[in-house]
Amino acid sequence: MERLYEGILDLRLCSDYARMILNAVKTENRSITYKELPLRYPFLLENKQSSEGIYGLLYPGEVLERYRDKTEDTLQKRRALLLALAICRDVFEKEMFHGDQYASFIIRCKKEAVKDLYLKSALYILTDNRNEKETLRNELFEYPYQKPEELFYVLVLMKEEVPEAWERWKNCLNDLLGVKREKNAYMYVPIYEWIIRNCIEQIRTSRGRKLALLKAIIKLPNTFAHEKNRVYEILSQNGYKKEEIFYLNVWMLRYGIGSYSAGRRSITTVRAVEKFCIWVCSQEEEYPDDVYRLCKELIQDFKEYPVHIGGQEGILEAMHCQVQVKNVKVYLLLYELRNIRNFNWSWLHIDLRAAKYEPLLEKLGQKEFQHYVEKTLAGDNFTKEELLTYLERYRRLMGTDYRTVMFQKYDDKYNRIFQKLCDRHLLDPVRLTKSILLEGAIRPDRKEIYERYLGEYVRKADSPQKMRVLSLFSKKYSAAKLKDIFQIPDFWIQTVNIRKGSWRKFEDMNFLKGKLNVGMIRQLFRWVEEAVFREMTESYMEFLLYLLANKENKIWIPQDVGREMCKELEKYEGDASFMNYARKLYFNQEEIAAYNRRVEEERKSVAEKIKREEQQKVQNTIANLACLDEAKFLGKIRWEILGLGSSRNNAAVVKQFVQKHYIMERHVLTACSEYLTLIMKLRDLGTINAKEAIEIIKNTEVEQNDSENSAAFANL
């Protein structure tokens, strides 16, 4: 409101003077408090400026008489004081003014009111003279209003006292807020709010299309005014820009203006807020500060959504992939919100390819500016020409070349930037390597910095240029020493993505790098193979097996070499499935068939050996039984089996007896054939008859083989 009437009314003075008058009213006569006034009179400001009176003056009459002695006397101040008197007309008392303090001020204002709308409006409220009041009213009705703030001022003061005021001025207000509007919509927010709070019923019940704009405005607090919405269409037809419509919509929704507001917790509000923030932060055009101020407040307010919508938990998550920063105002807005959860840090990358981002050096300070320049160079993609433009603008702003800064000391944050400079041919790593390897060409402290950057650069060994650098270093120092020179543990292991220490260490191993030719890949293999043999000796065979089992490696592994490696690996224990993959890749069909026959023969040989061992075991068991003291052994069997009643399961008893007295004490019986042989032995010894033996075999609880059972029955 202060900005709307800037240069017209001193609203701070008006507010302080109205507060002074209300405070001077006797307690028993107070019918209204200052807090209640701003809803009726939006000119009043809520915040109090000072507790020491106005210009050091402590009561209302003294202010009117002596304010000119304390400050410059301006029309804006006189309007403000007169407005405060009009607002407090029903409560101020005669005791507040002494002598002609009040009358002198009123007379002075009347002289100026002839040509002043604002003084005239306030005097209409203050005067008690019927003729004078009638004259002032007619003049206000006939006044040629050109600006919304003029009509709004008069309407606020007269709406309650002059019932016909709204009907007289409603069409004019509709037009002034439409295509005749000179200021942007952000300035008129207090007017829109007052209309929605105080005139909504009159507007809703009006007929015809003359108030189409006002009818659209009162719907803003409960509507999502997107591009296809009727409210958006009407506002657009009346000269409102997209950003103004979105702004008014989310303002009314967020602050719940009016009794029909959708409210902050509604899906309508959340969708409108999300649309507004994403749209504003994605535009290249810069808008007034009001837009970004509201956008910031909304992001802070909706960092966590009050309702579930779209699967996002807050506004920044919704904005994450939909916003690209294109102007400095948006950048600075988001910079202040960088500590909120789900913030996208790429929003703070500084694109120095465009001159419009140069002011960020002053706005952020050199340290922060440098930090986000580094993030940008490391994270964004640039062509060679774009990178040259970027570095040149950096040099001009900072007064030094970026590469000079980077080589002052080693810092891992520069690794990706170093690689980018090499890939765009703005640094020649081969030439740098030759300089390093030349004795005395570079200071020792600088040499270490260059070596570490080069080590990180060639770590992936995925280009001919990197292989050239590795070859130069290997010839000078040997491949085994490079991990110490580059200060990268397991350097060669990392070049092909071997995960040392993991049980899946070779699963992601890859020798097919970028544009490497076959010769380069084989050279890389020799370096890596040597490192694996030296540092991972226990996994060396596994390394070779994974290498051969990968079909892609056939591109650079000759068929005959792969075949010989497979034959050698067959001599060691390893993963059978990987070995089979390797054979299929490097053996011909005849060799695979011969191998399968050999495996089958070996399997049969092992099976026969096991069978012979089992048969021998059975024979040994029977022989052991024959060697026992029969009388004592058979006595135990008779007592355990024949001495029991017929209700007990003889098979279970036999099994229990054998487990207790024979298996545990003598020898472990593991085969079904041994159990059957034992039953047959008991029959032969006369311990049980043939009928009992058959019953035991049928009801036995141990696993049986049908053929063995049949053979036992045949013998019986």
Side-chain angles (χ1 to χ4, degrees), residues 474 478-483 488-496 498 500 505-506 509 511 522-541 543-544:
S474 297
S478 83
K481 293 182 179 180
L482 293 193
K483 68 176 184 178
I488 301 176
D490 308 320
F491 172 75
W492 290 113
I493 303 298
Q494 294 184 42
T495 57
V496 291
I498 296 175
K500 189 177 181 180
K505 57 182 74 72
F506 300 113
M509 181 173 63
F511 281 89
R522 289 174 181 170
Q523 177 60 65
L524 179 61
F525 167 72
R526 286 192 287 271
W527 288 328
V528 174
E529 186 261 350
E530 178 186 344
V532 172
F533 184 79
R534 183 176 58 253
E535 301 172 23
M536 303 173 63
T537 308
E538 73 286 352
S539 302
Y540 180 69
M541 295 302 173
F543 161 72
L544 295 177

Side-chain angles (χ1 to χ4, degrees), residues 464-610:
Q465 188 168 245
K466 294 178 183 179
M467 288 296 294
R468 177 65 175 149
V469 171
L470 285 170
S471 297
L472 290 171
F473 272 105
S474 297
K475 288 178 182 179
K476 179 71 175 180
Y477 299 112
S478 83
K481 293 182 179 180
L482 293 193
K483 68 176 184 178
D484 298 323
I485 293 171
F486 295 149
Q487 299 183 39
I488 301 176
D490 308 320
F491 172 75
W492 290 113
I493 303 298
Q494 294 184 42
T495 57
V496 291
N497 301 325
I498 296 175
R499 292 182 288 182
K500 189 177 181 180
S502 169
W503 65 277
R504 303 167 67 182
K505 57 182 74 72
F506 300 113
E507 189 170 288
D508 297 325
M509 181 173 63
N510 179 29
F511 281 89
L512 300 178
K513 301 277 191 172
K515 298 181 180 180
L516 301 188
N517 58 35
V518 171
M520 293 176 180
I521 296 174
R522 289 174 181 170
Q523 177 60 65
L524 179 61
F525 167 72
R526 286 192 287 271
W527 288 328
V528 174
E529 186 261 350
E530 178 186 344
V532 172
F533 184 79
R534 183 176 58 253
E535 301 172 23
M536 303 173 63
T537 308
E538 73 286 352
S539 302
Y540 180 69
M541 295 302 173
E542 185 183 357
F543 161 72
L544 295 177
L545 186 57
Y546 267 81
L547 186 78
L548 292 174
N550 189 339
K551 185 177 180 180
E552 294 179 348
N553 290 330
K554 281 201 70 178
I555 295 173
W556 59 273
I557 299 177
Q559 187 77 16
D560 55 340
V561 173
R563 184 185 300 112
E564 292 303 318
M565 291 175 68
C566 285
K567 289 179 179 179
E568 288 298 319
L569 289 174
E570 284 179 345
K571 300 175 183 179
Y572 303 92
E573 291 186 4
D575 191 309
S577 61
F578 278 91
M579 195 68 238
N580 286 333
Y581 285 135
R583 289 191 194 96
K584 291 178 182 179
L585 292 174
Y586 295 99
F587 282 9
N588 56 39
Q589 292 300 322
E590 294 179 359
E591 289 173 323
I592 293 175
Y595 169 78
N596 290 336
R597 286 193 299 271
R598 186 168 71 253
V599 170
E600 181 63 22
E601 290 173 358
E602 291 176 355
R603 188 191 65 78
K604 289 180 179 179
S605 175
V606 171
E608 290 176 358
K609 181 180 179 181
I610 293 173

Side-chain angles (χ1 to χ4, degrees), residues 91-264:
V91 296
F92 67 71
E93 302 164 340
K94 293 181 179 180
E95 291 82 1
M96 297 179 186
F97 309 98
H98 298 289
D100 62 349
Q101 289 174 334
Y102 176 79
S104 296
F105 182 75
I106 293 296
I107 291 171
R108 186 181 179 200
C109 289
K110 284 182 178 180
K111 291 178 181 179
E112 294 182 288
V114 177
K115 297 182 179 180
D116 191 279
L117 173 70
Y118 295 95
L119 293 175
K120 189 178 298 185
S121 303
L123 286 172
Y124 174 83
I125 301 299
L126 288 169
T127 186
D128 292 325
N129 184 291
R130 181 177 298 179
N131 293 331
E132 186 178 342
K133 207 174 188 71
E134 182 71 20
T135 301
L136 289 172
R137 187 182 69 168
N138 292 334
E139 290 178 1
L140 292 172
F141 278 160
E142 299 300 326
Y143 186 86
Y145 297 97
Q146 300 296 321
K147 300 177 181 179
E149 54 267 35
E150 294 175 343
L151 181 55
F152 174 65
Y153 181 88
V154 177
L155 188 58
V156 169
L157 290 177
M158 298 183 62
K159 184 175 184 294
E160 292 186 7
E161 187 163 332
V162 184
E164 66 269 25
W166 171 255
E167 291 298 324
R168 182 69 178 256
W169 284 321
K170 63 182 182 181
N171 292 337
C172 181
L173 181 62
N174 186 89
D175 294 339
L176 290 175
L177 289 174
V179 293
K180 294 181 180 180
R181 179 173 51 96
E182 296 179 358
K183 298 179 181 178
N184 59 47
Y186 322 115
M187 300 289 287
Y188 296 132
V189 166
I191 297 180
Y192 302 129
E193 288 186 5
W194 186 85
I195 290 172
I196 293 171
R197 285 195 172 106
N198 296 277
C199 308
I200 188 169
E201 292 301 330
Q202 293 98 314
I203 296 172
R204 289 181 63 190
T205 55
S206 296
R207 296 182 179 182
R209 298 181 179 180
K210 291 184 177 181
L211 299 185
L213 175 59
L214 292 178
K215 288 183 177 181
I217 289 172
I218 65 172
K219 291 180 180 178
L220 288 172
N222 59 10
T223 301
F224 174 19
H226 53 82
E227 292 90 333
K228 296 181 180 180
N229 184 272
R230 178 59 180 164
V231 171
Y232 179 96
E233 183 181 344
I234 293 172
L235 289 170
S236 181
Q237 290 171 353
N238 281 271
Y240 286 76
K241 298 177 182 179
K242 178 183 285 190
E243 61 271 18
E244 292 178 321
I245 299 172
F246 287 169
Y247 178 94
L248 293 176
N249 188 206
V250 296
W251 179 281
M252 304 302 175
L253 285 168
R254 183 215 178 183
Y255 290 106
I257 305 302
S259 57
Y260 296 96
S261 173
R264 177 186 176 276

Side-chain angles (χ1 to χ4, degrees), residues 224-458:
F224 174 19
H226 53 82
E227 292 90 333
K228 296 181 180 180
N229 184 272
R230 178 59 180 164
V231 171
Y232 179 96
E233 183 181 344
I234 293 172
L235 289 170
S236 181
Q237 290 171 353
N238 281 271
Y240 286 76
K241 298 177 182 179
K242 178 183 285 190
E243 61 271 18
E244 292 178 321
I245 299 172
F246 287 169
Y247 178 94
L248 293 176
N249 188 206
V250 296
W251 179 281
M252 304 302 175
L253 285 168
R254 183 215 178 183
Y255 290 106
I257 305 302
S259 57
Y260 296 96
S261 173
R264 177 186 176 276
R265 298 181 60 84
S266 70
I267 292 179
T268 299
T269 300
V270 174
R271 284 179 174 166
V273 167
E274 187 176 292
K275 171 81 172 180
F276 174 76
C277 292
I278 291 174
W279 187 83
V280 168
C281 292
S282 299
Q283 300 305 302
E284 190 168 354
E285 180 183 354
E286 291 189 352
Y287 301 118
D289 292 341
D290 303 76
V291 175
Y292 300 107
R293 193 179 301 113
L294 177 61
C295 186
K296 178 183 175 181
E297 293 174 1
L298 292 172
I299 292 174
Q300 291 173 323
D301 197 20
F302 288 85
K303 60 185 177 183
E304 293 182 2
Y305 281 159
V307 293
H308 295 288
I309 178 173
Q312 286 97 18
E313 61 181 37
I315 183 70
L316 284 181
E317 188 176 356
M319 295 170 60
H320 202 275
C321 297
Q322 299 190 60
V323 168
Q324 287 186 338
V325 178
K326 297 178 182 177
N327 69 60
V328 171
K329 283 190 174 182
V330 172
Y331 185 99
L332 294 173
L333 160 69
L334 294 173
Y335 176 78
E336 295 181 10
L337 304 172
R338 63 191 182 281
N339 294 322
I340 298 179
R341 185 179 176 184
N342 292 321
F343 187 84
N344 184 349
W345 289 97
S346 67
W347 291 334
L348 299 186
H349 289 186
I350 300 175
D351 187 3
L352 286 182
R353 293 174 295 180
K356 63 184 178 182
Y357 291 103
E358 292 182 9
L360 288 176
L361 175 59
E362 180 182 352
K363 299 287 186 180
L364 301 180
Q366 185 170 330
K367 184 178 179 181
E368 285 290 279
F369 183 80
Q370 176 72 18
H371 173 72
Y372 289 111
V373 163
E374 290 163 0
K375 292 290 185 183
T376 308
L377 288 172
D380 290 2
N381 290 320
F382 300 100
T383 64
K384 180 179 179 180
E385 292 71 21
E386 289 173 336
L387 197 52
L388 280 170
T389 301
Y390 196 104
L391 295 176
E392 174 57 27
R393 186 160 279 126
Y394 174 90
R395 185 196 62 75
R396 185 163 50 80
L397 286 173
M398 303 294 284
T400 184
D401 191 282
Y402 186 82
R403 287 160 286 197
T404 303
V405 176
M406 185 170 63
F407 290 132
Q408 291 295 323
K409 64 176 182 177
Y410 173 77
D411 194 321
D412 57 8
K413 67 184 179 183
Y414 293 125
N415 287 332
R416 294 182 66 183
I417 302 172
F418 181 90
Q419 177 160 337
K420 193 166 292 184
L421 292 173
C422 292
D423 292 342
R424 302 297 185 272
H425 306 293
L426 297 179
L427 274 179
D428 187 345
V430 175
R431 183 179 178 183
L432 181 59
T433 301
K434 290 179 179 179
S435 300
I436 292 172
L437 299 179
L438 188 63
E439 294 294 337
I442 296 178
R443 297 201 320 259
D445 58 331
R446 285 295 180 89
K447 180 180 179 182
E448 181 181 342
I449 294 172
Y450 293 143
E451 286 174 343
R452 295 194 66 180
Y453 281 128
L454 285 168
E456 291 295 335
Y457 169 65
V458 299

